[in-house]
């Protein structure tokens, strides 16, 4: 970390008292020194082009100008990528790093209209097209001769895919499909880039042939003329309007009025419609779980980036900001010295490590299960599905809460867009809804857990094996509680098992009183989401502990101490959050709770000197943070003023509205 | 409620099954049928002028255009008010209704640059000016010949007023004060209207005279020329930049370079500087608590409006939205039929009533205490201060959580600005920070509670009398738990008392181990905020219960049932949220908890048919809701599409960026 400009002296002091080697931790996070070096080189290469620099920050632009800037930047970014790939002979990896990671979002800001082309359109062609279709489409898409998107969600239908209304009816006489939107609620709604950017689209529609519906299938539809970009006849396309965030993504709507496409435009790798209209189904529907799970696994990884950025900003600012008094006759302390502030921030730092390691574990499991799938083994699919659902829900909601807590911890200045925290919240909270709404996700995991509860111990896969153990001992609380990490992890498994047991009993009781199973399930669903969350927390805690224990074997002693403190902090924090559940389902006592509380306060005290070092280790460049409050040099106040001066309102001492409205109004002449 | 347009049939059915008279509840909320009528008349009068109608929704404007629109609307609104006052001979009441309440914010949208003129500038002149100063300034301010604001917060200093850096140094030789900003962090930062709107300002500054600092005092400073609106010499003024919300408020910064003002511009009602520079202090500093407490009491009332709006939008949308399957072979159910959805929404409805009644109670107390103050009786001031601090914190954070939960409960469509939920969140979350940051507020209440704990029972005022009771019985859990309202209220008081007792013990223990009191306090502060929150929840529950019991004596039997169900729901919801605390500090058992859970599910089931009726009773006009999802007619999808079509991007089928960037890029020519 070079340090050419003057660093705020408070921040400098924080760095001097850090007890571990920051670069060592950065290397651990990146996956080794070489990975760190590669990342830094890639960042250097990208930022020296200056595409990320806005003359006027996009916060000040109109909605339309924001889109136009997003298009310009996306084009320049991909042009640069083409050039770098030619120069460096790099592969797809760079594309992905730019699009998915912090680097891409740093340059594109509030979303890009081309993202779905890469992350959905091309992958769908690859995954669902026949070899011939791939040969025809993928080259054109990859060279960006055409720009595509992926349209599934409709105005009236989201998570429940079977409810989609758009139809694709096969007409054997012309060998065409007729795409149609029978109602307003059938309009496609939300796809990124759909509004004014894409000229092609994969459309998910109910397939009708020979008078029968065969469910949802993918079709390639041309939306706009390749030369003029005008919408084609029968295509009603536009944008859905302004949103809380992602105002660069150009989300669109799409309606069809009997639009005809050739039979070959149905993507036919998995199912076919023959020329005469005969429907042929090729593969198991279970295989389509794959993409959904992939996206959810990626999401868990993504939200770590948001948390790391937010906690970097808030921690550095808390070292710089001085406020109020702790002790009489002393100067105002750094707000980081308030224990309530440490309570808000250090759990964020610990969460980044917890979710990062869980995401890594899940990624390995995903790869294993996918490999097994290809050899026809579906056994671990339900376990992976259940785990990816609840982790998606908990990771996104914890991350959103973390970003918002960091924003509020920065006081009024966190409310400024210049802090970058509001924009980040807008992006991260969206993930609570897309790719499976969080409550729905938790209930999917609950279904799996209830099923697992009824299975014998031997049949239970590893991540739910604790259910069998708990089933036998849960009522006796046989083990005495100890204020130790293992006891907390065990306690959380008891909570999860205990809650599932209660749900199962509740559902059975309701059924016995004459309620249909579905109603009994619904009536118990608040408790079911809570059981599902407890399962997820038990998993996160346990894998954070196990993965860290492996990790610390490879690091220096000073770093080992800090990493283990973070695991403890995370576990004790959640034990205190869930103390009622522990009282219900473990043998913890009131005296133990007071001990936990002191343990927690002691951990905050021990981690306090390393607070800044820990976020420095995330090694997020200023160009990626984009925050006046969180820059490496800690010049928060100077940067706030510099950012304020960029407001177009400050370009003129007197705004035109004074002459037009205010003065006549003040003179009673309006 | 007139009903000229077609109402969504699902919503219609909901209204038909409501068990109570909606208008009766509306009257109860307004404070009587006549108040309802007056409100409706006022709304009718204001909205028929059409000032609230935007050609292009402000969501699509640039930051600068948003300000210009805000100025235009504020001027038109006040012009209308002048006219109506002349026509109707109405008093200040209408002004206040327009500025503070839902009506004003419905018209002004995202804040107004003139609000601080009315709610801070004029009141400060009235409260802190001498009779002569009032005679000189108030007429000009009231007729809007001058526009003012109030500048206290600085770039480097917020809640801790003593830390402010701006100086006002008296120069006896010229009989002037010299205003100066010695550092960048001394710049005033945040005042609404300061940037480009106000030409005068009350500035809070450290008063220096005869070489001595006398602390913070108010000064009137002219900022801009009355004719040209140009900033005066030595005045550095501008806007602070874009924010998460309130982008119409024109928040500004202000720096002084040795700016001279006449001695008479110090507001001298409470303290004076004589011509020769002698400082004369007139009144007790305790009296200045008054304004702060007034604003906090008002805030508790305000946030009820946000919750009522959010829960109206989300409940109506949940009646209209159909999704997924509850039972096989049945059509998609209204999402309001999912118990998890009822869990998210009905607590919002109950919270509106809880906080509304608490705010009313607090308002009465405020008026009593203020009257006592004027007769020199300061006895209840600390109790009121403690109560207003924690209620400010809990009301604003609960309201922000409620709005956000409602937004997420609307799925993807809640993310659209057309739902109005994101804008509302931006406004309500700001209240967690301004007028006293919430953690600071909770710690102020905690200080009072710790002090009260040490007092004898007889000396304790009513709202903390339970401390003495609990002090004697808390360790024995003498009373057996019953699943009844009274037991829950009692349980929450035991929690509060138990947590305060633990904090006191903890602090004493730390002091005995040699820690200074201030450090022991800081070390215990996470627990102290939790004790303070528990005290507040005990108060809210207890006054919600008591006030409702009074209220239901005056209403019809069907309404009585529903109002009591809401109190039960609120109490049981919070009992379940805090079940760990109940296990620690009351005699509740595992079996009781299962009973509470069933009680809760039973209440959701009973309240479900009245969900829509309950929000209809808030009687919030569509023009105030401003939401495509929440309108009275339930035409959510049609309105979403209508709103989308207002996006300027949809005015052209092809955006100019296609020719400029996208096409050359696709052809490899960029």
């Amino acid at each position: 970390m070079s340090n050419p400009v003057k660093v705020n002296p408070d921040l400098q002091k924080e760095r001097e008292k850090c007890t571990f080697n920051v670069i060592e931790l950065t290397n651990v996070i990146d996956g080794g020194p070489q990975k760190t070096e590669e990342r830094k080189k890639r960042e250097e290469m990208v930022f020296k082009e200056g595409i990320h620099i806005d003359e006027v920050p996009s916060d000040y632009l109109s909605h339309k100008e924001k889109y136009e800037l997003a298009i310009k930047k996306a084009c320049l970014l991909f042009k640069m990528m083409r050039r770098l790939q030619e120069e460096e002979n790099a592969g797809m990896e760079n594309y992905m790093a730019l699009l998915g990671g912090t680097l891409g979002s740093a340059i594109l800001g509030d979303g890009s209209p081309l993202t779905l082309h890469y992350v959905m359109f091309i992958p769908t062609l690859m995954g669902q097209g026949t070899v011939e279709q791939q040969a025809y489409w993928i080259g054109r898409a990859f060279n960006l001769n055409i720009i595509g998107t992926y349209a599934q969600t409709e105005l009236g239908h989201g998570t429940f895919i079977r409810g989609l209304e758009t139809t694709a009816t096969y007409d054997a006489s012309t060998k065409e499909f007729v795409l149609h939107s029978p109602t307003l609620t059938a309009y496609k709604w939300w796809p990124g880039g759909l509004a004014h950017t894409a000229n092609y689209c994969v459309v998910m529609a109910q397939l009708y042939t020979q008078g029968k519906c065969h469910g949802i299938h993918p079709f390639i539809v041309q939306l706009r003329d390749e030369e003029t970009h005008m919408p084609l006849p029968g295509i009603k396309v536009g944008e859905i309007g302004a949103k809380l965030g992602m105002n660069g993504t150009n989300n669109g709507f799409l309606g069809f009025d009997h639009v005809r496409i050739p039979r070959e435009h149905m993507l036919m790798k998995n199912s076919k419609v023959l020329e005469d209209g005969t429907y042929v189904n090729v593969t198991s529907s279970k295989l389509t779980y794959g993409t959904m799970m992939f996206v959810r696994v990626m999401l868990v990884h993504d939200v770590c980036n948001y948390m790391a950025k937010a906690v970097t900003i808030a921690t550095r600012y808390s070292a710089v900001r001085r406020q109020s008094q702790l002790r009489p006759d002393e100067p105002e302390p750094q707000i980081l010295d308030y224990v309530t502030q440490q309570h808000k921030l250090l759990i964020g730092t610990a969460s980044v490590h917890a979710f990062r390691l869980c995401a890594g574990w899940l990624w390995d499991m995903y790869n294993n299960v996918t490999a097994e799938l290809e050899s026809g083994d579906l056994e671990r699919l339900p376990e992976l599905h259940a785990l990816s659902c609840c982790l998606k829900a908990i990771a996104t909601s914890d991350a959103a809460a973390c970003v918002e807590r960091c924003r509020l911890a920065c006081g009024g200045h966190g409310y400024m867009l210049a802090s970058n925290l509001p924009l980040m919240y807008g992006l991260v909270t969206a993930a609570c809804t897309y790719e499976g709404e969080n409550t729905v996700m938790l209930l999917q995991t609950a279904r799996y857990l209830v099923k697992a509860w009824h299975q014998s111990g031997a049949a239970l896969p590893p991540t739910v094996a604790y259910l069998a153990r708990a089933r036998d001992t849960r009522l006796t609380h046989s083990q005495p509680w100890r204020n130790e990490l293992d006891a907390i992890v065990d306690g959380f498994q008891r909570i999860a098992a205990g809650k599932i047991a209660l749900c199962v009993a509740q559902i059975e009781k309701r059924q016995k009183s004459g309620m249909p199973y579905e109603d009994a399930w619904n009536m118990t669903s608040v408790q079911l989401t809570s059981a599902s969350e407890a399962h997820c927390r038990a998993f996160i805690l346990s894998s954070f502990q196990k993965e860290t224990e492996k990790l610390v074997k490879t690091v220096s002693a000073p770093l080992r101490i800090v990493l283990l403190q973070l695991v403890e902090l995370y576990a004790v924090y959640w034990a205190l959050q869930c103390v009622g559940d522990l009282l219900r389902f473990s043998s913890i006592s009131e005296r133990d709770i007071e001990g936990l509380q002191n343990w927690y306060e002691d951990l905050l005290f021990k981690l306090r000197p390393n607070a800044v070092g820990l976020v420095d280790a995330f090694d997020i460049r200023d160009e990626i943070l984009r925050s006046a409050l969180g820059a490496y040099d800690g010049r928060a106040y100077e940067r706030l003023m510099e950012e304020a001066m960029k407001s177009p309102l400050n370009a003129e001492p007197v705004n035109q509205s004074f002459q037009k409205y205010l003065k006549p109004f003040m003179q009673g002449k309006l």
Side-chain angles (χ1 to χ4, degrees), chain A:
Chain A
M1 274 167 237
S2 64
N3 187 6
V5 292
K6 212 182 134 195
V7 167
N8 174 293
D10 283 329
L11 206 47
Q12 193 52 49
K13 267 181 240 153
E14 294 295 332
R15 287 176 179 137
E16 283 157 15
K17 69 187 176 194
C18 179
T19 64
F20 64 93
N21 182 336
V22 169
I23 294 170
E24 185 187 0
L25 180 52
T26 301
N27 292 338
V28 167
I29 294 171
D30 281 322
Q34 201 190 328
K35 294 264 182 191
T36 301
E37 202 187 309
E38 283 166 20
R39 174 178 57 76
K40 280 176 165 305
K41 196 179 140 206
R42 196 163 53 227
E43 289 172 0
E44 196 55 43
M45 219 162 64
V46 166
F47 285 114
K48 78 168 181 221
E49 306 274 325
I51 300 172
H52 63 289
I53 299 165
D54 298 325
E55 237 173 297
V56 175
S58 72
D59 303 332
Y60 296 107
L61 302 182
S62 73
H63 185 71
K64 192 172 164 186
E65 288 165 338
K66 280 179 193 169
Y67 169 64
E68 289 163 358
L69 179 67
I71 281 288
K72 177 181 160 185
K73 283 180 139 187
C75 289
L76 292 177
L77 178 66
F78 288 111
K79 187 187 151 199
M80 173 181 78
M81 279 312 308
R82 278 183 189 161
R83 206 198 66 223
L84 291 178
Q85 281 197 308
E86 282 160 21
E87 286 172 16
E88 310 254 330
N89 233 342
M92 272 294 280
E93 198 187 335
N94 274 341
Y95 264 104
M96 283 314 177
L98 276 174
L99 281 161
T102 44
L103 205 46
S105 67
I107 291 167
L108 298 167
D110 202 13
S112 154
L114 294 187
T115 303
L116 251 63
H117 176 77
Y118 285 96
V119 305
M120 289 300 292
F121 184 65
I122 293 179
T124 306
L125 296 175
M126 284 160 69
Q128 312 222 34
T130 61
V131 176
E132 299 75 29
Q133 288 176 320
Q134 293 191 24
Y136 183 77
W137 292 105
I138 290 182
R140 298 183 72 207
F142 207 78
N143 293 327
L144 282 147
N145 303 129
I146 62 171
I147 294 173
T149 183
Y150 177 90
Q152 178 172 303
T153 301
E154 295 173 356
L155 185 51
H157 297 88
T159 305
F160 185 65
I161 298 167
R162 275 183 289 159
L164 295 176
E165 295 180 74
T166 304
T167 56
T169 310
Y170 186 63
D171 178 352
S173 70
T174 61
K175 294 173 193 156
E176 289 171 320
F177 288 101
V178 184
L179 274 285
H180 190 60
S181 313
T183 60
L184 175 63
T185 48
Y187 270 60
K188 296 296 177 189
W189 192 271
W190 278 114
L194 174 62
H196 297 91
T197 312
N199 54 6
Y200 282 81
C201 183
V202 170
V203 174
M204 300 302 285
Q206 301 283 2
L207 166 62
Y208 283 85
T209 178
Q210 297 175 337
K212 213 186 140 203
C213 178
H214 295 277
I216 292 299
H217 288 75
F219 301 85
I220 301 181
V221 185
Q222 184 177 356
L223 305 178
R224 291 172 176 270
D225 183 272
E226 289 188 26
E227 276 303 308
T228 66
H229 212 55
M230 284 295 286
L232 296 183
I235 301 281
K236 285 165 281 184
V237 67
E239 81 133 359
I240 62 171
K243 294 144 292 169
L244 171 55
M246 308 191 122
N247 283 300
T249 49
N250 200 224
N251 301 85
F253 65 78
L254 172 62
F256 300 102
D257 182 8
H258 299 95
V259 172
R260 289 179 168 264
I261 58 170
R263 186 182 69 94
E264 295 76 21
H265 281 204
M266 173 177 164
L267 289 172
M268 298 212 201
K269 182 177 171 191
N270 299 323
S271 308
K272 289 184 211 301
V273 171
L274 306 182
E275 285 198 5
D276 67 352
T278 307
Y279 178 76
V280 184
N281 191 5
V282 181
T283 49
S284 150
S285 68
K286 283 219 175 171
L287 286 178
T288 57
Y289 274 112
T291 324
M292 277 186 342
M293 283 192 298
F294 172 77
V295 176
R296 285 174 198 155
V297 173
M298 284 289 99
L299 262 182
V300 178
H301 197 266
D302 259 17
V303 298
C304 293
N305 294 330
Y306 287 108
M307 287 194 282
K309 282 196 264 185
V311 83
T312 301
I313 294 166
T315 304
R316 287 180 182 162
Y317 177 67
S318 298
V320 167
R321 176 77 170 181
R322 290 178 167 271
Q323 189 76 352
S324 203
Q325 279 187 315
L326 267 173
R327 296 177 208 93
D329 309 320
E330 286 192 13
E332 295 182 77
Q334 296 165 284
I335 58 175
L336 192 51
D337 282 333
Y338 290 97
V339 174
T340 47
Q341 190 77 351
Q342 297 160 16
H343 173 60
K344 291 174 191 175
L345 302 183
L346 286 167
I347 182 61
T349 303
S351 299
V352 175
H353 290 278
F355 281 108
R356 195 180 64 78
L357 291 173
C358 281
W361 191 94
L362 196 65
W363 179 239
D364 290 343
M365 181 179 180
Y366 172 79
N367 283 319
N368 292 338
V369 173
T370 310
E372 288 163 18
L373 270 184
E374 274 164 24
S375 64
D377 176 3
L378 304 180
E379 203 191 316
R380 292 195 77 192
L381 197 60
E383 184 194 8
L384 175 63
H385 177 247
L387 212 50
S388 72
C389 284
C390 68
L391 262 175
K392 185 271 175 190
I394 298 302
T396 55
S397 61
D398 278 11
C402 171
V403 172
E404 198 60 351
R405 197 168 46 237
C406 287
R407 180 182 70 72
L408 288 164
C410 293
H413 296 334
Y415 196 73
M416 304 289 309
L417 295 193
S419 76
N420 201 21
L421 292 163
L423 184 82
M424 282 170 53
Y425 181 69
L427 294 171
V428 75
T429 188
C432 295
T433 306
Y434 63 60
E435 299 302 335
E437 192 278 329
N438 280 355
T439 303
V440 176
M441 290 295 96
L442 289 175
L443 288 173
Q444 297 219 358
T445 302
R447 260 193 215 284
Y448 174 79
L449 294 173
V450 167
K451 209 180 278 177
W453 184 256
H454 292 296
Q455 282 169 10
S456 77
L460 288 176
T463 58
V464 284
Y466 70 87
L467 288 180
R469 226 167 38 243
R471 221 157 39 192
D472 308 326
T473 59
R474 83 187 162 88
L475 291 173
T476 56
H477 295 323
S478 55
Q479 274 191 297
W481 178 271
R482 294 147 291 120
N483 273 347
E484 288 171 9
L485 216 48
D486 286 335
I488 296 176
V489 173
D490 178 68
F492 269 83
Q493 293 179 341
R494 281 166 189 273
I495 294 171
K499 290 198 173 189
I500 294 157
L502 278 177
C503 287
V504 168
Q506 198 62 245
I507 292 169
E508 282 171 1
K509 197 173 132 195
R510 286 179 165 142
Q511 278 186 285
K512 272 182 198 146
S513 78
M515 218 182 254
Y517 183 77
E518 292 78 13
D519 291 358
W521 174 273
N522 187 27
M523 200 74 178
T524 316
S525 56
V526 174
Q527 296 182 62
L528 284 162
T529 56
S530 164
S532 184
E533 176 173 346
H535 166 70
C536 192
R537 299 238 171 258
F539 168 77
I540 296 166
L541 267 180
S542 140
S543 63
F544 186 21
Q545 184 197 16
K546 276 188 229 151
E547 296 296 307
T548 304
E549 276 166 6
K550 270 188 254 169
L551 200 63
V552 293
K553 287 179 190 150
T554 65
V555 305
S556 70
L559 182 55
R560 185 178 313 134
I561 293 170
V562 178
L563 289 177
L564 292 174
Q565 282 168 349
L566 286 174
V567 177
E568 285 184 32
L569 183 87
Y570 190 80
V572 180
Y573 177 93
W574 281 106
L576 286 167
Q577 291 293 115
C578 302
V579 84
D581 291 331
L582 286 175
L583 281 165
R584 291 177 70 185
F585 302 107
S586 83
S587 57
I588 197 169
S589 71
E590 173 62 23
R591 176 173 286 247
D592 295 325
I593 294 169
E594 288 164 35
L596 273 183
Q597 185 70 45
N598 288 341
W599 187 6
Y600 180 68
E601 287 152 357
D602 186 51
L603 283 165
L604 293 179
F605 183 80
K606 282 181 182 152
L607 282 162
R608 161 69 186 84
N610 287 321
V612 168
L614 281 165
V615 300
D616 280 351
F618 295 138
D619 196 24
I620 306 171
R621 282 172 71 117
D622 287 350
E623 294 91 336
I624 295 175
L625 282 179
R626 298 173 82 101
S627 171
L629 303 184
Y632 186 80
D633 63 14
R635 293 169 60 255
Y637 297 119
E638 293 85 343
R639 284 174 189 271
L640 276 171
M641 186 56 94
E642 285 159 21
E643 287 304 313
M645 294 318 291
K646 291 181 189 164
S647 167
L649 271 173
N650 286 333
E652 307 157 313
V654 179
N655 180 270
Q656 54 166 336
S657 63
F658 173 72
Q659 297 296 343
K660 209 164 163 190
Y661 294 105
L662 211 52
K663 194 172 179 184
F665 173 63
M666 290 167 79
Q667 298 176 338
K669 289 178 188 162
L670 187 74

